[in-house]
Amino acid sequence: MRCFVVVGQNATATGDFLLQDIPGTSGRLDIGLRCVRAALLLSHGVRRDAVVYLVLRGGPRAPRVLRISGARAHFIRPDERSLAVLARKVLAYDVGGAAREFVEVRAGVAVANGDLDRVIADVGAATLYVLEESGPDLRGAVGLEDAPSAFILGDHLGLDEATRARLGEVGARPLGVGPLSVHAEDAIAIALNELDRRDAQEKEGERLSP
Ligand SMILES: C[S@@+](CC[C@H](N)C(=O)[O-])C[C@H]1O[C@@H](n2cnc3c(N)ncnc32)[C@H](O)[C@@H]1O
C-alpha cells in the first residue's frame, strides 16, 4: 500500500467553493486534487494499491481529512473540475462533530474529522516519509519499495513547524526527489516513478532467478 498525504494549510474542509474558481475560493484545494490524480491515476487505469489523504485545515469545519482509496474508488476522472465536484459532494456530508472514524460517502471516498494524527492512525504500520526539498535523495533510500509506506507533502505553503515537529516525533524520514522545489503533484509522480522502477526490477529479478 502506498499512501500520499497532502497537508492543505488553508484548503477548505467544506464543499463551499466555486467550481469556476477553485484555486481562488477553496484555499488551494486544487493542489490536493491534482495530487489525487498524480497518485491514483495511470494513463488507462487506477493504482489500486494507492491511497491519498487530503488534510484540510481551512474553513469552519476544519480540520477534516478526505481519503480516496484506489482499491475501491470508481469513476475517478483525471480533470480537476470532476475531482472538485466529487470532493464537494463528499465534503458536504456531515460526519457529526464528535465522530473520529472515516465515513465512506462515495465508493472509495471517505471523510473524517481530525488532522494529521487521524491519518497517522489510519495508515497504521506504514513507514512514514516526509517529502521535502532538503531531504536525502529518495533514489538512494534503502527499503523504499517495502510497502506499506506513507509519504507526507506540503502544499504551496509547504509544511508548518508544528507539522514538521509532529512528523519528527513519529519518526517520519525526510526524503527529497531532486535538487529543485517542484509542485506537490510532481513530487508524487517522481516518487511513484522510483517505486515503479524498483517494482519492475524486482519482478525481473524474480523472473530470471532459477
Ligand atoms: C511547492 S512545494 C512547497 C513550496 C513551499 N514554498 C515551501 O517552501 O515549502 C510543495 C511540496 O512539494 C514537495 N516537494 C517539492 N519539491 C520537492 C523536492 N525537491 N523534494 C521533495 N519534496 C518536494 C514538498 O512536500 C513541498 O512541501
Side-chain angles (χ1 to χ4, degrees):
M1 187 63 64
R2 266 86 200 234
C3 304
F4 293 89
V5 184
V6 185
V7 179
Q9 299 289 2
N10 300 318
T12 179
T14 71
D16 191 16
F17 58 86
L18 297 176
L19 290 175
Q20 306 92 290
D21 181 13
I22 303 165
T25 60
S26 69
R28 299 304 312 271
L29 179 65
D30 58 301
I31 294 172
L33 298 175
R34 288 195 295 278
C35 288
V36 171
R37 186 205 59 72
L40 292 187
L41 296 186
L42 295 163
S43 178
H44 295 288
V46 176
R47 291 182 184 272
R48 296 290 173 199
D49 65 346
V51 182
V52 180
Y53 296 87
L54 302 184
V55 177
L56 307 171
R57 291 178 169 172
R61 287 160 86 174
R64 295 170 97 196
V65 180
L66 193 62
R67 183 185 69 190
I68 305 106
S69 308
R72 292 192 29 78
H74 298 304
F75 312 120
I76 298 289
R77 292 175 52 182
D79 63 287
E80 203 173 297
R81 187 184 164 89
S82 299
L83 290 169
V85 169
L86 178 63
R88 205 155 76 150
K89 286 179 184 155
V90 175
L91 290 174
Y93 188 85
D94 187 357
V95 293
R100 308 309 303 172
E101 297 308 315
F102 279 95
V103 177
E104 191 168 72
V105 182
R106 290 279 189 281
V109 188
V111 65
N113 293 319
D115 202 293
L116 187 63
D117 280 346
R118 177 95 294 283
V119 179
I120 291 170
D122 205 57
V123 300
T127 305
L128 301 179
Y129 299 97
V130 52
L131 290 183
E132 55 187 13
E133 288 83 341
S134 58
D137 194 337
L138 89 165
R139 288 195 178 174
V142 176
L144 187 68
E145 62 281 13
D146 298 340
S149 48
F151 299 83
I152 296 105
L153 302 96
D155 63 2
H156 62 302
L157 300 174
L159 293 170
D160 58 288
E161 278 311 312
T163 300
R164 284 176 194 280
R166 181 66 187 134
L167 289 171
E169 280 169 13
V170 294
R173 292 164 53 186
L175 282 181
V177 299
L180 302 179
S181 181
V182 297
H183 291 289
E185 67 196 288
D186 296 334
I188 290 175
I190 294 167
L192 277 168
N193 180 260
E194 178 65 19
L195 293 168
D196 291 345
R197 286 168 183 269
R198 292 189 188 203
D199 284 351
Q201 270 171 10
E202 194 178 309
K203 283 193 187 114
E204 183 62 7
E206 283 167 11
R207 193 181 70 79
L208 293 176
S209 66

